[in-house]
């Protein structure tokens, strides 16, 4: 494999730091060109010193001086603001862009990278939820491949490589069930952020951890799967699998099922996306089937986790509705993390916002930004009334 030059958007987060760990294991194969962060100046500085990228972007302008001062003795160029991030991902030297920012903020730079024809290692699922149609169009038009980093979609992608182009009749998307899988609904209703932030199998950023507790994360992944693999929502089946060993499965018309298994370690899908189509060695845990003993499966409980149903409704309605759902979820999760609303206010805020969103059948990028702004404001109003 020739050396690949990578840009990491959201380099200080859970996916960003694990991406750097992959780079650390293969310094001869990967070189960091660009690192970006929201506000974590201290970690961005440390990463810039270790990986010596051509440039870094600290999106929060108030932190610019701190980063620029700390890197004055290096040749790392320091920028601030979303626009500079969009310009820099398009740089000639960049081969792969790891989209690992959180939320809708990932859309603009991902669009810029697609337009520049860059390969995208996509972790930022909200981009596909909010603007899947447009993003997939850009990917085709600019021949910019999208390689999934989300573990379930990486699993499906890996299974598809063995499908030989045969028709996939169903996707089985596995879900851990989150921290509240075995709880009664009354108890979940009282849970605060401390309890919701305790994910049983994965250590991730705060937003996706709450999304896992509500199962909106799985809803997002259903939408993500529809776009990435051109599936109808009714052919994407969610199955709860608490051990998180099977990362997802595909089923063929003859009933045969292929699965991808492994220890829950995000560096596996990250590295697969970065090195595709090659597989590289990776230090880490290995599955021990005998000590696992058994793998278990169950139907998701839609009563306890209404967000899953909302996501299916959004993808079936299509147009700008998934974008509105994503924005309302972003506002509601933020409010929950600030102790401003309770757990089941999250689906209520989302359902209400979706219902009041004026429908646009085939939204443009401008429509998507406008829908996002309007839905954020509408959700905020609902939150304020709680
Ligand atoms: P995180 O909160 O740990 O990190 C987010 C990163 O984005 C940080 O570097 C932060 O500085 C940056 N950022 C946040 N807001 C920003 C803004 N407005 N402008 C610029 N930069 C900003 O999140 P994470 O867990 O790494 O998740 C990142 C994305 O990957 C999310 O979309 C998530 O759903 C997806 N994902 C994560 C995992 C996981 O295991 N963590 C798995 C699958 C998918
Ligand atoms: Mg996932």
């Amino acid at each position: 494999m020739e050396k690949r030059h990578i840009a990491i958007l959201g380099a200080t987060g859970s996916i960003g730091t694990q991406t750097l760990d992959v780079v650390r294991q293969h310094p001869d194969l990967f070189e960091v060109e660009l690192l970006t962060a929201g506000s974590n100046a201290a970690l961005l500085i440390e990463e810039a010193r270790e990986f010596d990228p051509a440039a870094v972007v600290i999106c929060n302008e108030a932190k610019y001086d701190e980063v620029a001062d700390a890197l004055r003795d290096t040749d790392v160029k320091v920028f601030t603001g979303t626009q500079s991030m969009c310009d820099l991902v398009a740089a000639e030297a960049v081969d792969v862009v790891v989209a690992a920012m959180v939320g809708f903020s990932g859309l603009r730079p991902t669009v810029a990278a697609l337009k520049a024809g860059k390969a995208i290692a996509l972790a930022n699922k909200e981009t596909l939820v909010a603007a899947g149609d447009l993003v997939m169009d850009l990917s085709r038009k600019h021949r910019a491949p999208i390689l999934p980093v989300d573990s379930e979609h990486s699993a499906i992608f890996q299974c598809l490589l063995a499908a030989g182009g045969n028709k996939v009749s169903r996707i089985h998307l596995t879900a851990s069930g989150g921290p509240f899988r075995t709880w009664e609904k009354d108890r979940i209703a009282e849970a605060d952020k401390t309890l919701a932030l305790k994910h049983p199998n994965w250590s991730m950023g705060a937003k996706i951890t709450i999304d896992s507790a509500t199962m909106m994360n799985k809803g997002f992944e259903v939408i993500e799967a529809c776009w990435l693999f051109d599936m109808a929502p009714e052919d994407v089946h969610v199955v709860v699998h608490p051990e998180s060993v099977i990362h997802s499965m595909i089923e063929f018309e003859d009933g045969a099922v292929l699965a991808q298994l492994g220890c829950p370690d995000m560096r596996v899908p990250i590295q697969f996306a970065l090195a595709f189509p090659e597989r590289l060695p990776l230090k880490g845990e290995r599955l021990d089937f005998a000590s696992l003993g058994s793998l278990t499966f169950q139907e998701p409980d839609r009563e306890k986790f209404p967000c899953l149903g909302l996501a299916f409704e959004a993808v079936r309605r299509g147009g700008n509705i998934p974008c509105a759902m994503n924005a309302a979820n972003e506002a509601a999760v933020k409010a929950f993390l600030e102790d401003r609303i309770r757990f089941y206010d999250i689906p209520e805020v989302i359902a209400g916002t979706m219902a009041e969103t004026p429908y646009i059948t085939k939204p443009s990028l401008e429509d998507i930004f406008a829908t996002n702004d309007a839905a954020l404001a509408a959700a905020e109003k609902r939150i304020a009334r709680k």
Side-chain angles (χ1 to χ4, degrees):
M1 186 179 120
E2 254 185 69
K3 195 169 204 175
R4 293 194 179 163
H5 296 255
I6 66 177
I8 308 175
L9 310 179
T12 56
S14 163
I15 294 291
T17 52
Q18 293 182 87
T19 304
L20 287 171
D21 201 43
V22 168
V23 172
R24 214 175 261 129
Q25 294 203 25
H26 303 285
D28 47 331
L29 295 178
F30 301 119
E31 187 161 328
V32 178
E33 285 296 324
L34 172 69
L35 295 172
T36 84
S39 299
N40 192 342
L43 185 54
L44 183 65
I45 293 163
E46 199 182 306
E47 292 176 348
R49 290 202 161 274
E50 180 180 353
F51 292 95
D52 191 31
V56 298
V57 180
I58 181 84
C59 290
N60 181 344
E61 288 176 25
K63 300 284 180 88
Y64 173 80
D65 288 341
E66 182 185 343
V67 179
D69 288 345
L71 297 177
R72 206 167 292 282
D73 62 328
T74 70
D75 18 302
V76 179
K77 293 194 184 71
V78 182
F79 299 87
T80 185
T82 312
Q83 189 51 49
S84 50
M85 188 161 44
C86 295
D87 298 340
L88 291 161
V89 289
E92 187 70 43
V94 173
D95 300 315
V96 189
V97 176
V98 181
M101 292 162 67
V102 66
F104 188 81
S105 70
L107 179 60
R108 223 181 263 279
T110 304
V111 165
L114 286 166
K115 284 185 174 164
K118 306 297 182 189
I120 313 285
L122 187 73
N124 179 248
K125 59 189 82 187
E126 294 92 339
T127 289
L128 277 180
V129 172
D133 203 4
L134 292 163
V135 166
M136 297 310 291
D137 264 353
L138 286 172
S139 163
R140 282 185 290 266
K141 186 168 159 209
H142 299 278
R143 292 171 206 255
I146 298 179
L147 300 146
V149 166
D150 211 345
S151 56
E152 294 76 3
H153 305 79
S154 176
I156 295 162
F157 180 53
Q158 292 176 55
C159 292
L160 284 171
L161 295 172
N166 284 297
K167 186 176 186 284
V168 173
S169 56
R170 282 209 293 175
I171 280 176
H172 300 274
L173 207 60
T174 53
S176 71
F180 302 144
R181 181 179 58 88
T182 59
W183 291 32
E184 292 302 322
K185 196 170 178 188
D186 301 349
R187 201 172 147 219
I188 302 176
E190 301 302 322
D192 66 358
K193 64 170 182 237
T194 325
L195 294 163
L197 283 170
K198 282 191 184 134
H199 196 281
N201 303 345
W202 301 94
S203 152
M204 312 179 285
K207 189 204 171 236
I208 184 177
T209 308
I210 301 300
D211 287 341
S212 299
T214 62
M215 288 194 79
M216 179 52 96
N217 181 53
K218 211 47 57 179
F220 282 172
E221 291 180 355
V222 169
I223 301 177
E224 202 184 356
C226 291
W227 287 118
L228 286 172
F229 308 116
D230 197 19
M231 296 294 289
E234 54 274 19
D235 296 329
V236 182
H237 176 227
V238 175
V239 61
V240 175
H241 165 47
E243 295 86 5
S244 296
V245 167
I246 295 182
H247 297 310
S248 279
M249 304 174 259
I250 61 173
E251 183 179 318
F252 298 101
E253 287 178 295
D254 60 2
V257 175
L258 293 187
Q260 188 261 330
L261 288 70
C263 293
D265 180 348
M266 283 310 293
R267 295 172 315 155
V268 177
I270 292 169
Q271 177 169 287
F272 191 69
L274 289 180
F276 179 77
E278 279 187 41
R279 270 188 197 274
L280 306 175
L282 183 71
K283 290 184 198 122
E285 264 188 85
R286 296 295 180 260
L287 281 182
D288 176 350
F289 288 97
S291 69
L292 272 173
S294 63
L295 297 178
T296 61
F297 305 92
Q298 54 197 228
E299 275 297 321
D301 186 332
R302 296 193 180 229
E303 253 299 293
K304 284 201 288 191
F305 304 106
C307 286
L308 190 55
L310 290 173
F312 270 101
E313 182 195 325
V315 67
R316 276 196 207 100
R317 289 182 66 197
N320 61 337
I321 302 302
C323 173
M325 174 189 73
N326 177 67
N329 181 64
E330 216 158 298
V333 169
K334 183 166 177 283
F336 179 74
L337 285 169
E338 291 165 354
D339 301 314
R340 287 161 59 211
I341 57 171
R342 286 148 40 108
F343 192 78
Y344 283 116
D345 291 334
I346 299 175
E348 261 187 56
V349 167
I350 300 168
T353 306
M354 279 166 67
E356 70 174 289
T357 297
Y359 186 71
I360 305 175
T361 316
K362 188 120 179 96
S364 65
L365 201 53
E366 290 69 43
D367 294 331
I368 290 295
F369 284 110
T371 298
N372 182 66
D373 289 346
L376 278 178
E380 266 315 324
K381 270 198 195 146
R382 286 173 185 278
I383 289 164
R385 288 204 294 268
K386 294 286 175 194

